[in-house]
Amino acid sequence: MGSVASYFGQLCGGEKKKEEERHLRANDRPFNLSYHYANNAIKTSKYNIFTFLPCNLFEQFRRLANAYFLFLMLLQLIPQVSSLSWFTTAVPLILVLSMTAVKDASDDINRHKSDNQVNNRIVNVLIDGELRKEKWKNVQVGDIIKLESNQFVTADLLLLSSSEPLNLVYVETAELDGETNLKVKQALTVTGDMGMYRIVEATGEVRCEPPNNRLDKFKGTLSLDGQTYSLDNDKVLLRGCTLRNTEWCFGLVVFGGPDTKLMQNCGKTTFKRTSIDHLMNVLVLCIFGFLASMCTALAIGNAIWEVREGSVFTVFLPRDEGVNAALSSFLSFWSYVIILNTVVPISLYVSVEIIRLGNSFYIDWDRKMYYPKNDTPAQARTTTLNEELGQIKYIFSDKTGTLTQNIMTFNRCSINGKAYGDLLDFSGNRVEITEKTERVDFSWNRLADPKFMFHDHSLVETVREGNLEAQAFFRLLALCHTVMPEEKKEGELYYQAQSPDEGALVTAARNFGFVFRSRTPETITAVEMGREVTYELLAVLDFNNVRKRMSVIVRSPEGKLTLFCKGADTIIFERLHPSCDKLKDITIRHLNEYAGDGLRTLALAYKDLDERYLEDWKQRHHEASTAMEGREERLDELYEEIEKDLLLLGATAVEDKLQDGVPQTIEQLAKADIKIWVLTGDKQETAENIGYSCNMLREEMKDIFVVAANTAEGVKEELQKARRKMCPNAADEPSVIKARAGLFWLQRTETVQDEKVDGDYGLVINGHSLAFALEKNLQMELLRTACMCQTVICCRVTPLQKAQVVQLVKKYKQAVTLAIGDGANDVSMIKAAHIGVGISGQEGMQAVLSSDYSFAQFRYLQRLLLVHGRWSYLRMCKFLRYFFYKNFTFTFVHFWYAFFCGFSAQTVYDEWFITLYNLVYTALPVLGLSLFDQDVNDRWSFQYPQLYTPGQLNLYFSKKAFVRCMLHSCYSSLILFFIPWAAMQDTVRDDGKDIADYQSFALLAQTCLLVVMNIQLSLDTDYWTAVNQFFVWGSLAAYFAITFTMYSNGMFLIFTSSFPFIGTARNSLNQPNVWLTIFLTSLLCILPVVAFRFILIQLRPTINDKVRHKMRKEALPVAKPGAPYRKRISTRRSGYAFSHSQGYGDLVTSRKFLQRLPLWSRPALFTQTDSPLAQNQPQHYRTIAEEPEESQSP
């Protein structure tokens, strides 16, 4: 019984017991299943076959209007109340519910397909001592699985062993943190030494932290053979990673499916609704209140009339038995509820769904958002958010794969004062390089990388001519690095680089004739201009964040000792010999040009060493490295000593290739007053470089603040310091406006006001600092400071932090947000934002599957927002204003008529006109307006991005706009009722016969109404098409055709009770005074509108008015060509932008690093429990002589 109760508790959303510690045993499924840990199946869908109908109906009836129409339908089943048939409400309601249900079902079926595709992937699982192929969804916690190269990691695994030396594996974590460079993970020695036979029998126990979303932390212990070993993040492979350059590895499943760190970071799938949806819910509630007050007033009027006048009519209109004035008043209240329900017609929601669907198709069909290279069209994956695209205020963008292409290219270089890489024409002007530009032919080099592209032929000629400086330049690039080579076939080299830019430099050296071929812990083998040369590797002075450089000391075959150094230019220039001053000035000029183009730069230098000096230096280094006190300081002094008086060779410029059109897109969006924040998992240096490349960060900015403190107090101090510099007079506490919003005004909102700042500022904040800044007591400080800045870049952020930043802005700025990304690390951000956009990029499809819209290139975002978004918002607002106007006008005429019919709930129009008014007569014209209208075309939208700002301010449809619609309707209804009434009151036909009867008046009133509505629609239409013309004139033609048909003798004879208006049309519409009345009524309704709009345009023209005026006077702007090259000089240059890990040089010089062992047996590789890499200890320098396993020759 308890289990049944717990099942229903979980089904209804009850919380299950919180896990405090995970305890599992390898190869023991019964033990692990007793803890009821989640298996490896994932679920992103919302419904199943049993829950779809109740859950979907519940979601739909949360829309207040749907619940209202259900109530109305039930009311119409009561014959004493209803004057209209129940099916007039039931049929449209069922249609709306069905359309929405089909759309939701389609969306969820796609999610099910995506889930099944992932859950049914195959992996090798160790079961009963043998490897079996199992589906991912059947993998359980505690299973041992075998992964092979290029496979996705199935679940969160504890790494046990691998095919690589030192039990290393290389993983690509692009879907987790956006970085494409390979990460190194290492198993414990005790598990790595096991052969497969021992792994089969392993019964180790793991105790670790419960499931959480921290990607960079893992704490646990492994108990094996009576010993306990510490576990950390370096020994764990996370789901979402891809195994690279590793033949195989074994792992123990620690977390599966929803418990994995990737899924913990994904966030919940929420039901997204637009701000217009929320506003309509509030307006519908107000309309209900207004409807109730109208019905109450008319019911009171009915009671008064029944008491004062009703008794006179009982002679020929006797009351039903038991009905008195009070009961009659009560029944008339509900009768008027039915008659006046057209203030919120159900056709409104049908039309809204059709409009959204139509505007979604425009996005799907847009050829200008189609990417032919990958055959990828833009896709609107949801149809309910189109108009929200026209109201975006904040964009949160990933960097890697979203702004950039994930491709590093060796772009330009400066060697001995000469710049290479630019192409110049005869007049010395720079020529833009395109895909058609002739490439350098590297066919002379059999080891060249065929994918490498370079266009400056002079550099190849310089190298091949034997220029010593050029050859030394590329020799340095081939020797000074930590890249691992792999040569599966003769001549086919693959480089395992820990950072993509370092890989690009080694590949460049390879193509220019200096090929890094292989390495041992003591040697580096290179092929220099076709000749194989082996250098003795004496030492690696490794990179760290303070040094910002790395060096190697090598001995050539001729016995020459050389120190090669590369690093951040500012660091290298401080250590140059005075003889290089002139060359340094020329190189700085080149570096400024490279930085102006957003390239990542490094300076290269070398130094010849004396044999005796090096021996003495090594001895002193050994003493310093074994010192008990002041070790770090003494080592730093030694590094400074040997890395001075360097001779400059030149500089490199590597391009982190942006996607096409990214800077222009960001510039356009900024002009539209859209703020862009970059949230990336990359390191700060890399993120800043891209910020400059995209022109988000500019040297003209007054200041760029960097927040990198490691304590909450430090973060607070840095944020306050930045804020006070931007706005010295700002109050200490933010200006917060508290209000109520939502249905029944139950939701409390707090809005932080924008603060004015003179000039442009930028903010860069690190992930560890952001963690403090997102705490409750610092949230406001972060928000205030960030919103003052033109550009915000958050680096080293986790997926969850991305979502938290989005939610912070949503909560306190009350602005519409958009998140755009391309990897699994962006999913939580995409789900948290009002609108999520997925890039179909190189990091898989997780972001696309969770998104609302998707396309292949970031540059398409400007078209999505400035064209489709703006048009959708404009069309929806016009539709709503017109729809409410026409229905309030229609309903108010009933209200005025009640005073002339004894409040008897008699309709002023023919019943068939009431039925067809919204379904036939006015449906198509307003749909034409809502699907085809555009104030300006797409080119003018790009020419003037400022046209986008009214949407951000909700200027086109708001509560104020709604009240104006009501007042306009009230005026129109007074004209439409009293002018025909006064004109018909004492009117006779040409032949003297009377036409002042109810049916003639009803016909005249409804004809005037329809004519005025069509003229008003025509005034609202800015862009006429043949379809619009057809719909407007067709609806009027249909009205007269249907009216004459239904009022004909034939219809009366066939259906006498249904068509009582026999002959009314031909009796009235052949009279000139009737047509004069129609003309007069239309004139009185429309003339004030025209006059008001004319005066408004003259006195207070909007940006739309100005652009449309300019559009009429000027020719259509041509599509902007590719911007001509503008040479930009920058004194700001990137530092050492490599994504290195400190201590990686130690791994390179490890004696047994390159020994690969078979799968079935593996002896101990080294004596210590774990390597320094796994312990993440600083390893600044290491010589071969220090290797403990074997004796070394110096």
Side-chain angles (χ1 to χ4, degrees):
M1 184 71 184
S3 63
V4 173
S6 68
Y7 169 77
F8 279 106
Q10 289 184 25
L11 189 69
C12 298
E15 292 184 12
K16 67 176 185 178
K17 191 177 178 183
K18 190 176 181 181
E19 189 178 337
E20 294 181 357
E21 182 188 61
R22 178 144 295 200
H23 182 203
L24 58 105
R25 190 178 293 164
N27 291 320
D28 192 345
R29 274 199 172 185
F31 174 82
N32 298 324
L33 288 171
S34 67
Y35 286 93
H36 304 291
Y37 294 138
N39 64 13
N40 202 42
I42 62 163
K43 180 190 170 201
T44 59
S45 56
K46 291 165 66 176
Y47 312 109
N48 60 38
I49 197 166
F50 300 108
T51 62
F52 174 73
L53 197 60
C55 289
N56 188 259
L57 286 175
F58 173 73
E59 283 284 358
Q60 291 202 58
F61 280 115
R62 285 177 64 189
R63 183 181 275 174
L64 199 60
N66 287 343
Y68 164 67
F69 289 122
L70 179 66
F71 167 73
L72 203 63
M73 187 187 76
L74 296 174
L75 203 61
Q76 286 179 310
L77 295 173
I78 304 170
Q80 288 87 351
V81 171
S82 179
S83 56
L84 295 170
S85 303
W86 64 272
F87 58 79
T88 56
T89 301
V91 172
L93 178 62
I94 292 169
L95 183 67
V96 170
L97 296 177
S98 302
M99 283 177 63
T100 309
V102 168
K103 180 177 65 64
D104 290 344
S106 173
D107 290 344
D108 211 56
I109 287 168
N110 289 333
R111 292 192 202 99
H112 275 286
K113 286 179 180 176
S114 166
D115 291 346
N116 291 335
Q117 183 184 357
V118 173
N119 289 332
N120 291 325
R121 286 176 181 164
I122 301 297
V123 68
N124 289 313
V125 183
L126 205 57
I127 300 176
D128 298 331
E130 61 180 28
L131 284 172
R132 297 182 188 170
K133 291 192 180 298
E134 280 282 354
K135 293 179 177 178
W136 278 25
K137 64 182 178 182
N138 297 328
V139 171
Q140 301 287 342
V141 170
D143 287 351
I144 293 176
I145 65 176
K146 181 187 177 186
L147 295 175
E148 295 176 350
S149 186
N150 297 323
Q151 281 189 339
F152 289 107
V153 176
T154 310
D156 288 356
L157 308 176
L158 170 64
L159 181 62
L160 298 177
S161 69
S162 83
S163 60
E164 300 302 300
L166 297 182
N167 303 307
L168 298 173
V169 298
Y170 300 96
V171 290
E172 184 182 279
T173 59
E175 291 194 355
L176 290 174
D177 57 17
E179 293 187 8
T180 52
N181 51 291
L182 300 182
K183 304 288 195 307
V184 180
K185 300 284 186 177
Q186 185 177 31
L188 286 166
T189 307
V190 67
T191 60
D193 292 346
M194 293 180 177
M196 182 170 169
Y197 295 120
R198 286 194 62 197
I199 285 180
V200 168
E201 299 168 359
T203 55
E205 289 192 10
V206 173
R207 291 180 181 271
C208 66
E209 60 189 15
N212 60 72
N213 52 39
R214 295 190 298 274
L215 292 172
D216 56 341
K217 290 183 182 176
F218 180 83
K219 290 180 182 177
T221 58
L222 170 67
S223 301
L224 187 67
D225 299 332
Q227 296 289 321
T228 301
Y229 304 89
S230 174
L231 302 177
D232 59 26
N233 204 45
D234 286 324
K235 299 169 184 64
V236 176
L237 302 183
L238 299 182
R239 180 177 180 140
C241 297
T242 307
L243 197 67
R244 300 288 191 204
N245 301 327
T246 307
E247 285 187 20
W248 53 263
C249 73
F250 282 95
L252 173 68
V253 177
V254 179
F255 301 122
D259 290 343
T260 59
K261 291 182 183 283
L262 175 68
M263 296 305 292
Q264 291 276 311
N265 272 289
C266 276
K268 293 182 180 178
T269 301
T270 55
F271 181 69
K272 293 185 179 181
R273 300 163 78 183
T274 67
S275 54
I276 284 183
D277 270 336
H278 290 295
L279 177 59
M280 279 173 59
N281 255 0
V282 174
L283 293 181
V284 165
L285 190 65
C286 295
I287 290 168
F288 289 161
F290 183 65
L291 177 65
S293 62
M294 279 200 301
C295 294
T296 302
L298 296 176
I300 292 170
N302 177 269
I304 294 169
W305 188 88
E306 285 289 346
V307 170
R308 292 187 176 181
E309 308 287 342
S311 56
V312 179
F313 291 86
T314 52
V315 178
F316 57 92
L317 283 175
R319 291 175 179 154
D320 293 336
E321 190 175 344
V323 175
N324 55 21
L327 183 58
S328 172
S329 173
F330 176 77
L331 293 176
S332 73
F333 173 86
W334 296 109
S335 297
Y336 272 115
V337 167
I338 294 171
I339 287 174
L340 302 180
N341 81 81
T342 46
V343 285
V344 190
I346 197 159
S347 58
L348 170 69
Y349 291 94
V350 180
S351 303
V352 164
E353 294 299 327
I354 292 171
I355 293 164
R356 286 173 171 167
L357 186 65
N359 285 308
S360 298
F361 281 134
Y362 290 150
I363 295 171
D364 293 343
W365 296 337
D366 192 341
R367 290 186 180 183
K368 292 179 182 176
M369 294 173 68
Y370 168 72
Y371 191 53
K373 193 172 180 181
N374 294 347
D375 188 27
T376 308
Q379 187 181 9
R381 298 174 54 81
T382 181
T383 60
T384 57
L385 302 172
N386 296 330
E387 65 270 16
E388 198 101 300
L389 289 169
Q391 298 179 275
I392 304 298
K393 183 66 178 176
Y394 289 89
I395 292 176
F396 300 91
S397 175
D398 179 38
K399 182 194 75 68
T400 310
T402 304
L403 300 176
T404 64
Q405 298 182 30
N406 283 352
I407 299 171
M408 296 289 180
T409 58
F410 179 79
N411 194 293
R412 280 178 270 171
C413 63
S414 171
I415 302 174
N416 197 32
K418 184 175 180 182
Y420 297 94
D422 287 335
L423 294 184
L424 306 177
D425 58 20
F426 293 110
S427 59
N429 294 321
R430 182 173 159 186
V431 178
E432 187 178 357
I433 294 172
T434 66
E435 291 182 4
K436 296 179 181 179
T437 307
E438 184 186 1
R439 293 166 54 177
V440 172
D441 181 14
F442 291 106
S443 58
W444 56 273
N445 181 359
R446 66 182 184 83
L447 292 174
D449 183 352
K451 296 177 183 175
F452 181 81
M453 287 192 296
F454 202 75
H455 300 88
D456 187 356
H457 294 74
S458 64
L459 182 54
V460 179
E461 293 164 6
T462 303
V463 175
R464 296 187 73 182
E465 285 169 1
N467 182 287
L468 294 178
E469 289 83 3
Q471 293 195 351
F473 181 91
F474 287 110
R475 184 178 293 116
L476 185 153
L477 292 180
L479 299 177
C480 185
H481 55 76
T482 57
V483 171
M484 307 294 178
E486 188 176 1
E487 191 169 2
K488 293 183 178 178
K489 294 181 184 177
E490 178 67 25
E492 287 189 17
L493 278 169
Y494 297 94
Y495 291 143
Q496 301 173 12
Q498 224 208 357
S499 69
D501 32 7
E502 181 155 62
L505 294 176
V506 177
T507 302
R510 167 185 175 181
N511 277 63
F512 284 100
F514 288 77
V515 185
F516 168 54
R517 191 73 179 268
S518 63
R519 73 158 74 242
T520 71
E522 296 143 342
T523 64
I524 295 178
T525 301
V527 178
E528 297 183 352
M529 304 306 290
R531 184 173 66 92
E532 187 165 288
V533 183
T534 299
Y535 291 86
E536 186 181 350
L537 179 62
L538 299 175
V540 176
L541 282 68
D542 202 9
F543 163 85
N544 69 34
N545 283 318
V546 178
R547 284 168 44 76
K548 293 189 178 180
R549 63 190 184 276
M550 76 165 288
S551 301
V552 295
I553 301 174
V554 297
R555 178 183 280 117
S556 69
E558 295 80 23
K560 184 179 177 182
L561 290 170
T562 310
L563 179 144
F564 289 114
C565 182
K566 68 179 181 185
D569 42 57
T570 51
I571 301 293
I572 299 293
F573 290 163
E574 291 170 0
R575 291 159 176 79
L576 292 179
H577 191 274
S579 63
C580 298
D581 285 350
K582 187 176 179 182
L583 176 58
K584 181 175 76 171
D585 292 339
I586 298 170
T587 307
I588 286 174
R589 199 161 61 243
H590 293 158
L591 285 168
N592 290 343
E593 290 181 17
Y594 301 156
D597 289 340
L599 304 179
R600 298 159 73 150
T601 57
L602 286 180
L604 311 184
Y606 76 100
K607 177 183 180 181
D608 292 327
L609 299 174
D610 178 69
E611 184 81 46
R612 282 186 300 177
Y613 169 75
L614 183 63
E615 287 299 321
D616 175 60
W617 184 86
K618 286 170 67 176
Q619 177 62 35
R620 286 184 288 134
H621 176 271
H622 178 72
E623 292 171 3
S625 62
T626 55
M628 297 300 292
E629 293 181 4
R631 181 184 303 175
E632 294 299 322
E633 291 79 7
R634 290 176 64 180
L635 287 173
D636 284 339
E637 287 176 13
L638 284 168
Y639 298 154
E640 289 290 335
E641 177 191 316
I642 200 167
E643 290 176 327
K644 71 179 181 181
D645 291 334
L646 302 174
L647 299 176
L648 183 63
L649 280 172
T652 63
V654 172
E655 182 182 8
D656 187 358
K657 280 188 90 68
L658 291 173
Q659 290 189 13
D660 293 338
V662 166
Q664 295 89 336
T665 300
I666 288 172
E667 185 182 353
Q668 284 285 87
L669 295 174
K671 286 179 183 175
D673 200 25
I674 297 173
K675 293 188 176 181
I676 302 178
W677 293 18
V678 175
L679 311 177
T680 177
D682 263 1
K683 61 185 291 186
Q684 178 183 326
E685 188 76 30
T686 311
E688 283 187 39
N689 288 340
I690 295 301
Y692 280 98
S693 301
C694 298
N695 288 333
M696 293 176 67
L697 297 176
R698 299 180 303 280
E699 286 208 53
E700 308 89 70
M701 285 182 164
K702 283 193 173 181
D703 205 346
I704 294 168
F705 306 106
V706 177
V707 177
N710 291 309
T711 63
E713 276 302 313
V715 171
K716 183 177 182 180
E717 188 178 326
E718 288 184 2
L719 288 171
Q720 287 180 342
K721 185 179 176 183
R723 176 171 57 80
R724 285 168 185 152
K725 183 169 183 180
M726 289 186 285
C727 192
N729 301 322
D732 289 338
E733 293 300 318
S735 172
V736 180
I737 296 176
K738 295 185 178 181
R740 288 187 174 271
L743 203 58
F744 302 108
W745 290 268
L746 297 176
Q747 182 184 341
R748 293 181 179 179
T749 62
E750 294 180 53
T751 307
V752 177
Q753 294 294 94
D754 287 333
E755 296 173 76
K756 290 185 178 180
V757 177
D758 290 331
D760 292 343
Y761 294 88
L763 176 69
V764 179
I765 183 167
N766 257 313
H768 56 265
S769 302
L770 187 64
F772 293 114
L774 288 170
E775 290 175 2
K776 198 166 185 180
N777 58 333
L778 282 181
Q779 277 185 349
M780 286 293 194
E781 198 63 55
L782 169 67
L783 189 69
R784 287 182 73 189
T785 307
C787 289
M788 285 181 181
C789 296
Q790 186 74 17
T791 297
V792 179
I793 297 177
C794 304
C795 36
R796 286 293 188 206
V797 293
T798 65
L800 186 67
Q801 284 178 329
K802 290 185 178 186
Q804 288 173 334
V805 171
V806 174
Q807 286 162 347
L808 178 66
V809 174
K810 277 177 67 177
K811 182 177 180 182
Y812 290 112
K813 298 305 288 186
Q814 306 302 324
V816 182
T817 58
L818 180 146
I820 180 168
D822 70 325
N825 60 319
D826 304 313
V827 167
S828 56
M829 171 175 77
I830 283 170
K831 288 182 176 179
H834 292 98
I835 290 179
V837 177
I839 300 279
S840 312
Q842 300 182 22
E843 295 185 18
M845 294 293 286
Q846 282 82 352
V848 170
L849 293 172
S850 303
S851 67
D852 305 306
Y853 300 89
S854 68
F855 40 71
Q857 295 280 289
F858 181 84
R859 69 176 183 269
Y860 298 148
L861 183 62
Q862 63 174 321
R863 186 165 182 85
L864 182 72
L865 301 187
L866 301 184
V867 178
H868 292 288
R870 203 178 67 81
W871 283 350
S872 295
Y873 173 70
L874 191 72
R875 290 163 181 166
M876 183 59 74
C877 293
K878 275 194 176 184
F879 165 78
L880 291 172
R881 290 201 307 265
Y882 175 76
F883 208 93
F884 281 123
Y885 167 71
K886 76 182 180 70
N887 282 286
F888 268 102
T889 305
F890 176 90
T891 307
F892 280 154
V893 174
H894 275 299
F895 183 79
W896 308 129
Y897 182 64
F899 291 90
F900 293 84
C901 68
F903 306 96
S904 59
Q906 185 184 10
T907 58
V908 69
Y909 313 115
D910 170 24
E911 188 173 317
W912 283 105
F913 180 80
I914 295 172
T915 307
L916 298 176
Y917 177 70
N918 279 310
L919 293 178
V920 177
Y921 299 147
T922 59
L924 290 179
V926 73
L927 279 180
L929 171 80
S930 310
L931 290 174
F932 302 111
D933 197 50
Q934 46 184 266
D935 55 347
V936 297
N937 62 31
D938 54 349
R939 288 191 186 175
W940 284 98
S941 296
F942 283 136
Q943 188 83 1
Y944 294 95
Q946 299 86 349
L947 287 166
Y948 189 82
T949 50
Q952 298 168 329
L953 303 172
N954 276 326
L955 295 184
Y956 293 147
F957 189 73
S958 59
K959 291 171 186 172
K960 286 182 180 177
F962 175 72
V963 171
R964 285 197 295 268
C965 278
M966 283 186 64
L967 295 174
H968 185 196
S969 299
C970 187
Y971 166 77
S972 296
S973 66
L974 284 167
I975 299 294
L976 286 166
F977 177 77
F978 285 103
I979 296 296
W981 172 77
M984 292 289 284
Q985 189 175 16
D986 298 317
T987 304
V988 293
R989 287 167 49 88
D990 291 345
D991 56 10
K993 293 182 180 177
D994 188 20
I995 58 167
D997 58 87
Y998 161 71
Q999 292 185 347
S1000 299
F1001 170 71
L1003 176 66
L1004 179 57
Q1006 65 196 36
T1007 305
C1008 289
L1009 174 71
L1010 200 61
V1011 170
V1012 168
M1013 291 303 109
N1014 277 283
I1015 296 173
Q1016 182 66 48
L1017 181 100
S1018 301
L1019 283 176
D1020 288 342
T1021 303
D1022 292 322
Y1023 183 70
W1024 283 93
T1025 65
V1027 178
N1028 291 81
Q1029 295 276 4
F1030 175 75
F1031 283 168
V1032 170
W1033 296 109
S1035 68
L1036 284 172
Y1039 166 71
F1040 286 110
I1042 292 170
T1043 301
F1044 276 101
T1045 303
M1046 289 197 300
Y1047 295 179
S1048 65
N1049 295 359
M1051 294 298 287
F1052 177 76
L1053 292 172
I1054 300 169
F1055 305 103
T1056 306
S1057 60
S1058 299
F1059 299 98
F1061 279 50
I1062 180 173
T1064 306
R1066 63 176 182 268
N1067 183 50
S1068 299
L1069 295 177
N1070 63 358
Q1071 296 300 305
N1073 56 355
V1074 170
W1075 287 105
L1076 184 62
T1077 304
I1078 294 171
F1079 174 75
L1080 182 62
T1081 306
S1082 304
L1083 199 64
L1084 288 172
C1085 283
I1086 299 303
L1087 204 58
V1089 176
V1090 174
F1092 176 75
R1093 290 186 183 180
F1094 175 78
I1095 293 168
L1096 205 61
I1097 288 173
Q1098 296 301 315
L1099 299 180
R1100 291 171 57 189
T1102 63
I1103 179 71
N1104 295 61
D1105 297 329
K1106 292 173 183 176
V1107 174
R1108 290 182 64 207
H1109 177 70
K1110 195 168 187 177
M1111 183 176 69
R1112 283 192 290 268
K1113 292 178 69 175
E1114 297 180 10
L1116 184 73
V1118 295
K1120 286 186 178 179
Y1125 174 71
R1126 290 177 298 170
K1127 203 159 190 177
R1128 188 168 70 92
I1129 305 298
S1130 173
T1131 55
R1132 184 263 171 207
R1133 298 187 291 281
S1134 67
Y1136 203 96
F1138 291 179
S1139 305
H1140 278 316
S1141 295
Q1142 185 171 328
Y1144 198 51
D1146 175 61
L1147 194 60
V1148 172
T1149 55
S1150 173
R1151 170 171 285 281
K1152 298 191 177 182
F1153 181 78
L1154 297 161
Q1155 296 179 5
R1156 189 181 288 269
L1157 295 172
L1159 169 63
W1160 299 102
S1161 64
R1162 184 181 291 281
L1165 292 180
F1166 47 97
T1167 53
Q1168 68 263 44
T1169 308
D1170 295 309
S1171 76
L1173 172 73
Q1175 295 172 355
N1176 201 23
Q1177 295 174 351
Q1179 298 292 309
H1180 300 298
Y1181 168 82
R1182 184 165 188 176
T1183 63
I1184 305 304
E1186 290 177 341
E1187 187 68 30
E1189 282 90 354
E1190 297 180 28
S1191 61
Q1192 291 262 1
S1193 59

